[in-house]
Amino acid sequence: MEYHLISQGRLFTGAKEKECIVMIQRITKLSEEQVRKTLLNGRPRKLFSSDDRAKVEKFSQAYRKAGLDVRIKKGS
């Protein structure tokens, strides 16, 4: 079974935007502008897929710690 890590397109309520963007940049290696346009645009987006649930969970925790609202979705 495949697992998908989905960004909800927003930060958690109360998250400090500048600090969160810096942490997200460390994970993704994207520029600040790219983070804003692709991950913080208010639209859900698939970030990562794997058959390894533990690997997806690890990425999920890293993104959540960085303040990004993400969900894990089971695929087929």
Side-chain angles (χ1 to χ4, degrees), residues 3-76:
Y3 298 94
H4 307 286
L5 183 61
I6 310 293
S7 166
Q8 299 302 311
R10 63 183 175 261
L11 297 175
F12 288 119
T13 303
K16 295 180 180 160
E17 187 174 318
K18 277 285 192 193
E19 292 174 19
C20 292
I21 288 173
V22 169
M23 288 190 281
I24 293 167
Q25 284 180 274
R26 287 185 194 138
I27 297 167
T28 63
K29 309 293 188 238
L30 296 173
S31 71
E32 179 178 346
E33 184 180 340
Q34 289 171 312
V35 169
R36 289 181 186 278
K37 284 184 177 180
T38 60
L39 301 180
L40 301 179
N41 61 9
R43 286 176 277 182
R45 176 190 175 104
K46 183 169 67 171
L47 300 174
F48 180 76
S49 293
S50 176
D51 290 332
D52 184 349
R53 167 98 187 179
K55 190 174 184 179
V56 175
E57 191 65 48
K58 181 180 170 186
F59 275 94
S60 170
Q61 289 173 2
Y63 279 111
R64 285 182 179 138
K65 187 175 180 183
L68 188 64
D69 188 0
V70 294
R71 302 279 187 272
I72 296 175
K73 182 178 170 187
K74 289 182 185 177
S76 49

